[in-house]
Amino acid sequence: MLGAIEAGGTKIVCAVAPKEALTQIAERISIPTGTPQETMPKIIAFFKNYQIEAIGIGSFGPIDVDPSSPTYGFITNTPKLAWKHFDFLGTMKKAFAVPYFWTTDVNAAAFGELKHGSAVGNENCIYITVGTGIGGGVVLNGKVIEGKGHPEIGHIYINQLVHDSFEGNCPYHKNCLEGLAAGPAIEARAGKPAQNLAADNPAWELEAHYLAEACVNYTLSFSPEKIIFGGGVMKQAHLFPLVREKFTELLNGYLPISQVDQYIVPCALQDNAGIVGCLALAKETL
Ligand code: ADP
Ligand code: ZN
């Protein structure tokens, strides 16, 4: 059996699946993120019921992914204070001496989509979730990319449009992509939650423009074969044609992206992208 832990800001999902058929999840639990003292024993108790060969962990970040660092495997600078500087991977290793894959939740989701979702058959993809925040993972040549750290492509700066006077609400950068285009930014401008806005609300045009700018930047920086969107805001299916149209306009023929409707796409695994990705990453360690 393979194990998977998708650690999010509000809940932590654990799952086990056979390595021959890892999308056939045998059991899963969802635990409120709480504090490490409350939550880690529950995670460990769940896996104790199984003969686990390897575990993939996709965590909210930022996290330390540098194997040469003394704090490798730690969650680093999170506003969730109980988890700040917590040795997540080390705590798991003490409980189970198996191979681990340790990366971000969004890198795991990108890998899940590559192996079992919208990017099956590709080697290079980007996964972006547009929800309470904006986060993104990158897979190149079949591997999640990490350098000294990991990508944080939700926080890139983009060109704010002149008629948009919203100052942006990223706690670190104000008007980065997340600060201008995550769900709370849409809500702050409109005075009501994004899910309550009609499809013809001008907010969507603005949203599509910012997401298209981001897609151009990701295209120029990483050369993916697909850009895959997930998260609550992207449940607005009408956003996709708008984003593609503005993307084509902004890229202006510089690179040959021919079938844009197959390039900028919704995620196929929906809420399972992260956990399936963690299982697939666990399998990679064997
Ligand atoms: P989280 O990012 O916390 O994991 P979500 O991906 O559901 O959770 O993101 C929540 C954000 O997405 C909120 O700002 C909410 O207003 C927005 N949202 C949720 N559902 C929809 C929807 N159907 N249409 C547009 N926005 C939505
Ligand atoms: Zn930011």
Side-chain angles (χ1 to χ4, degrees):
M1 281 288 199
L2 297 173
I5 305 172
E6 184 190 16
T10 50
K11 63 180 197 295
I12 296 185
V13 178
C14 302
V16 290
K19 67 177 175 219
E20 306 76 22
L22 50 77
T23 55
Q24 285 162 32
I25 291 171
E27 190 186 352
R28 76 158 75 204
I29 53 163
S30 177
I31 310 165
T33 301
T35 65
Q37 293 68 31
E38 290 159 358
T39 310
M40 295 309 293
K42 293 181 189 160
I43 296 174
I44 290 164
F46 172 76
F47 290 114
K48 282 255 152 78
N49 299 323
Y50 294 92
Q51 203 77 40
I52 300 291
E53 280 179 77
I55 299 178
I57 307 175
S59 175
F60 67 90
I63 62 175
D64 190 338
V65 293
D66 173 7
S68 71
S69 156
T71 54
Y72 174 68
F74 283 50
I75 293 175
T76 58
N77 186 18
T78 167
K80 301 193 83 61
L81 294 181
W83 293 88
K84 198 168 176 162
H85 307 306
F86 175 66
D87 183 7
F88 199 126
L89 181 60
T91 304
M92 288 306 299
K93 280 184 172 167
K94 273 189 209 125
F96 304 98
V98 296
Y100 285 86
F101 203 110
W102 164 252
T103 191
T104 58
D105 48 358
V106 278
N107 258 352
F111 196 73
E113 287 290 325
L114 186 92
K115 291 289 181 186
H116 300 283
S118 288
V120 166
N122 296 136
E123 289 280 288
N124 310 285
C125 77
I126 293 188
Y127 171 87
I128 304 141
T129 172
V130 186
T132 307
I134 299 185
V138 183
V139 179
L140 292 183
N141 302 316
K143 300 210 179 310
V144 297
I145 71 157
E146 285 167 351
K148 190 75 178 161
H150 51 79
E152 279 289 351
I153 61 176
H155 289 272
I156 59 170
Y157 284 103
I158 51 169
N159 287 306
Q160 186 164 6
L161 293 183
V162 283
H163 69 267
D164 176 22
S165 58
F166 182 56
E167 67 168 359
N169 57 7
C170 170
Y172 290 90
H173 319 111
K174 287 214 187 286
N175 66 344
C176 70
L177 178 66
E178 173 173 306
L180 290 177
I186 303 173
E187 177 166 349
R189 282 193 205 86
K192 53 184 171 181
Q195 57 269 38
N196 298 346
L197 302 182
D200 61 358
N201 191 297
W204 298 120
E205 181 99 21
L206 186 68
E207 180 70 11
H209 181 91
Y210 291 146
L211 297 180
E213 274 197 49
C215 288
V216 169
N217 291 344
Y218 302 152
T219 300
L220 297 172
S221 303
F222 298 112
S223 307
E225 290 163 278
K226 286 206 191 283
I227 299 179
I228 302 164
F229 278 105
V233 172
M234 301 313 289
K235 290 189 178 135
Q236 302 286 327
H238 59 88
L239 264 177
F240 283 88
L242 274 179
V243 173
R244 291 176 189 130
E245 186 189 313
K246 287 172 189 296
F247 168 83
T248 304
E249 208 175 286
L250 289 166
L251 192 62
N252 198 23
Y254 184 58
L255 292 174
I257 309 288
S258 50
Q259 292 174 294
V260 185
D261 57 333
Q262 284 164 50
Y263 180 65
I264 297 174
V265 296
C267 71
L269 298 172
Q270 300 295 337
D271 294 340
N272 274 337
I275 203 77
V276 168
C278 290
L279 288 163
L281 288 169
K283 191 171 174 178
E284 291 291 294
T285 67
L286 297 178

